[in-house]
Amino acid sequence: MKIAGRAALVTGANRGFGRHLAAELLARGATVYAGARNPESVDLPGVTPVLLDITDPASVAAAAKLAGDVTLLVNNAGVSTGADLLEGDLAQIRLEMETHYLGTLSVVRAFAPTIAANGGGTILNILSALSWITFPQVGAYSAAKAAEWSMTNTLRTQLADRGVRVAGLHVGYMDTDMTARVTAPKSDPADIARIAVDGIEADRYEIIADETSRQVLAGLSGGAAALYPDLP
């Protein structure tokens, strides 16, 4: 898939990794719709701001109608509440699932027919190494990302014969507002955006963006003992 000349929509494009993705697509010659709950906060020159709350079906439908020429959809919008699965607020845990799983699915359902009708294209879901491994402090986020990963695999098989490629990006921590309190090493989101778009152009189904994700992926075959060596 060549990016130049494509129409792309990036959700959560007003800041953080989404803004870097939009900038990278724009630099490669795409027409970019920048989805955000507050489109006035989109400050990237050259993009078209679009009101888009992925948890609001009416907002999703309106965005799909407005961006009717899209052949590349990047599902980046997300949230990290830090909710504890055992003691945290269930409303926050639901928000994680409503955003990463049901919200992303809602956007795919709205745009997939458009992409197919426009001759085919690509959907990229921004996943995480935390869809494969988890820790108590990110339990709600990881559970929602794991659900999104499973959804990505299902949609990949369902949409393949319609000319719509569904890919997933796995990455560890990036240096964005969402990880401001994280002290672990972080990748430069601009670098990861380039890797992501390279992966789209190479028609990869799975884009493993950093060493953390490669190590976790390698550990999956070892089961719980490999991923959680401190378990008694």
Side-chain angles (χ1 to χ4, degrees):
M1 182 184 196
K2 295 301 181 184
I3 299 301
R6 295 278 182 170
L9 183 138
V10 180
T11 68
N14 58 316
R15 62 189 179 93
F17 186 50
R19 190 181 188 280
H20 286 284
L21 283 167
E24 184 65 25
L25 291 168
L26 195 66
R28 298 200 196 191
T31 298
V32 180
Y33 296 98
R37 286 181 296 177
N38 179 12
E40 290 77 17
S41 66
V42 175
D43 62 356
L44 182 63
V47 303
T48 300
V50 176
L51 173 62
L52 178 55
D53 178 349
I54 70 170
T55 65
D56 178 358
S59 176
V60 172
K65 185 176 180 179
L66 184 151
D69 55 343
V70 162
T71 56
L72 172 59
L73 168 65
V74 182
N75 286 307
N76 165 76
V79 64
S80 180
T81 66
D84 183 289
L85 288 180
L86 287 178
E87 300 176 354
D89 186 343
L90 277 174
Q92 290 189 315
I93 296 171
R94 288 192 185 97
L95 176 62
E96 297 263 13
M97 197 65 71
E98 289 279 351
T99 303
H100 296 289
Y101 180 65
L102 293 173
T104 298
L105 178 58
S106 177
V107 177
V108 171
R109 285 162 61 111
F111 277 91
T114 296
I115 295 172
N118 288 337
T122 296
I123 296 170
L124 175 64
N125 293 336
I126 306 304
L127 302 172
S128 172
L130 292 173
S131 59
W132 291 333
I133 192 171
T134 189
F135 309 99
Q137 59 268 35
V138 291
Y141 181 88
S142 292
K145 281 297 183 183
E148 187 181 355
W149 174 46
S150 179
M151 175 190 70
T152 299
N153 291 331
T154 301
L155 294 173
R156 180 178 296 139
T157 59
Q158 277 193 279
L159 291 171
D161 62 357
R162 304 181 199 179
V164 181
R165 179 179 295 269
V166 181
L169 173 79
H170 289 271
V171 63
Y173 294 122
M174 291 182 284
D175 191 11
T176 65
D177 291 347
M178 186 178 286
T179 63
R181 298 182 181 180
V182 175
T183 58
K186 306 173 193 176
S187 298
D188 183 336
D191 292 339
I192 303 302
R194 285 191 291 272
I195 292 170
V197 179
D198 285 345
I200 294 170
E201 289 202 309
D203 290 337
R204 293 180 191 146
Y205 284 115
E206 200 165 54
I207 304 168
I208 311 302
D210 63 354
E211 185 58 30
T212 296
S213 299
R214 282 187 284 272
Q215 290 178 359
V216 176
L217 176 59
L220 287 176
S221 60
L227 294 175
Y228 306 100
D230 294 333
L231 286 173

